[in-house]
Protein backbone atom coordinates (compact mmCIF):
# COMPACT_ATOMS: atom_id res chain seq x y z
CA UNK A 1 0.00 0.00 0.00
CA UNK A 2 1.08 3.56 -0.65
CA UNK A 3 0.15 6.46 1.64
CA UNK A 4 -0.50 9.94 0.26
CA UNK A 5 -0.95 13.15 2.23
CA UNK A 6 -4.09 14.96 0.98
CA UNK A 7 -6.37 17.78 2.11
CA UNK A 8 -8.74 15.06 3.42
CA UNK A 9 -6.08 13.28 5.50
CA UNK A 10 -3.73 10.42 4.72
CA UNK A 11 -5.06 8.33 1.85
CA UNK A 12 -3.91 4.69 1.84
CA UNK A 13 -4.06 3.06 -1.60
CA UNK A 14 -3.72 -0.56 -2.64
CA UNK A 15 -2.83 -1.20 -6.28
CA UNK A 16 -3.71 -4.68 -7.59
CA UNK A 17 -3.22 -4.92 -11.33
CA UNK A 18 -5.48 -2.26 -12.83
CA UNK A 19 -7.73 -2.12 -9.73
CA UNK A 20 -7.19 0.57 -7.09
CA UNK A 21 -8.80 0.76 -3.64
CA UNK A 22 -8.06 3.64 -1.23
CA UNK A 23 -9.22 4.76 2.19
CA UNK A 24 -8.99 8.15 3.90
CA UNK A 25 -10.20 9.33 7.33
CA UNK A 26 -12.67 12.07 6.30
CA UNK A 27 -16.08 10.45 7.00
CA UNK A 28 -14.47 7.01 6.54
CA UNK A 29 -13.90 7.77 2.85
CA UNK A 30 -13.26 5.11 0.23
CA UNK A 31 -12.10 5.28 -3.38
CA UNK A 32 -12.58 2.50 -5.90
CA UNK A 33 -11.63 2.46 -9.55
CA UNK A 34 -9.40 1.44 -12.40
CA UNK A 35 -5.91 2.46 -13.43
CA UNK A 36 -4.92 2.61 -17.11
CA UNK A 37 -1.27 3.54 -17.31
CA UNK A 38 -1.06 6.39 -14.79
CA UNK A 39 -4.67 7.55 -15.33
CA UNK A 40 -7.20 6.60 -12.65
CA UNK A 41 -10.98 6.82 -13.01
CA UNK A 42 -13.41 5.81 -10.31
CA UNK A 43 -15.71 6.82 -7.49
CA UNK A 44 -15.31 8.19 -4.00
CA UNK A 45 -17.84 7.55 -1.25
CA UNK A 46 -18.13 8.51 2.41
CA UNK A 47 -20.09 7.39 5.45
CA UNK A 48 -21.98 10.73 5.48
CA UNK A 49 -23.56 9.87 2.10
CA UNK A 50 -21.06 11.81 0.00
CA UNK A 51 -20.33 10.24 -3.38
CA UNK A 52 -18.95 11.32 -6.73
CA UNK A 53 -16.67 10.71 -9.69
CA UNK A 54 -12.91 10.95 -9.36
CA UNK A 55 -10.13 11.26 -11.93
CA UNK A 56 -6.45 11.24 -10.97
CA UNK A 57 -3.17 11.25 -12.86
CA UNK A 58 -0.19 9.81 -11.02
CA UNK A 59 3.41 10.91 -11.45
CA UNK A 60 5.64 8.45 -13.29
CA UNK A 61 7.07 7.15 -9.98
CA UNK A 62 3.63 7.31 -8.24
CA UNK A 63 5.04 9.76 -5.67
CA UNK A 64 2.16 12.22 -6.18
CA UNK A 65 -1.11 12.68 -8.01
CA UNK A 66 -3.32 15.47 -9.29
CA UNK A 67 -6.96 15.00 -9.99
CA UNK A 68 -10.50 16.29 -9.94
CA UNK A 69 -13.75 15.09 -8.40
CA UNK A 70 -17.46 15.78 -8.50
CA UNK A 71 -20.02 15.62 -5.70
CA UNK A 72 -23.28 14.01 -6.85
CA UNK A 73 -25.22 15.53 -3.92
CA UNK A 74 -24.15 19.18 -4.19
CA UNK A 75 -22.30 19.93 -7.44
CA UNK A 76 -22.73 17.04 -9.90
CA UNK A 77 -21.43 19.10 -12.84
CA UNK A 78 -18.60 20.93 -11.06
CA UNK A 79 -15.11 19.37 -10.94
CA UNK A 80 -12.96 20.36 -7.93
CA UNK A 81 -9.24 19.76 -7.43
CA UNK A 82 -7.83 16.88 -5.41
CA UNK A 83 -4.11 16.20 -5.11
CA UNK A 84 -1.63 14.47 -2.85
CA UNK A 85 1.93 13.37 -2.45
CA UNK A 86 3.58 10.38 -0.85
CA UNK A 87 3.60 10.65 2.95
CA UNK A 88 7.07 11.28 4.33
Amino acid sequence: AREYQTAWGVMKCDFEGSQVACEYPWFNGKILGELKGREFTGLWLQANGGVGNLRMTFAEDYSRFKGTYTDFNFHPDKWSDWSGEIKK
Side-chain angles (χ1 to χ4, degrees):
R2 290 189 171 103
E3 294 187 350
Y4 296 92
Q5 187 64 54
T6 77
W8 309 108
V10 174
M11 183 173 84
K12 297 177 185 176
C13 294
D14 289 315
F15 296 83
E16 243 184 77
S18 65
Q19 301 302 304
V20 180
C22 305
E23 297 180 349
Y24 57 95
W26 189 260
F27 289 105
N28 196 26
K30 300 200 181 331
I31 292 171
L32 301 168
E34 187 174 18
L35 193 63
K36 290 183 181 175
R38 294 182 292 123
E39 303 291 325
F40 170 91
T41 55
L43 294 171
W44 63 272
L45 41 130
Q46 297 176 165
N48 66 348
V51 62
N53 286 316
L54 176 62
R55 299 185 297 216
M56 298 186 289
T57 301
F58 286 90
E60 210 168 299
D61 62 359
Y62 289 83
S63 62
R64 64 191 176 284
F65 68 87
K66 286 188 177 183
T68 57
Y69 69 95
T70 62
D71 186 322
F72 292 162
N73 295 315
F74 297 105
H75 304 286
D77 298 324
K78 178 185 172 196
W79 290 86
S80 301
D81 291 338
W82 192 344
S83 62
E85 62 183 60
I86 213 86
K87 185 180 170 203
K88 297 180 180 170

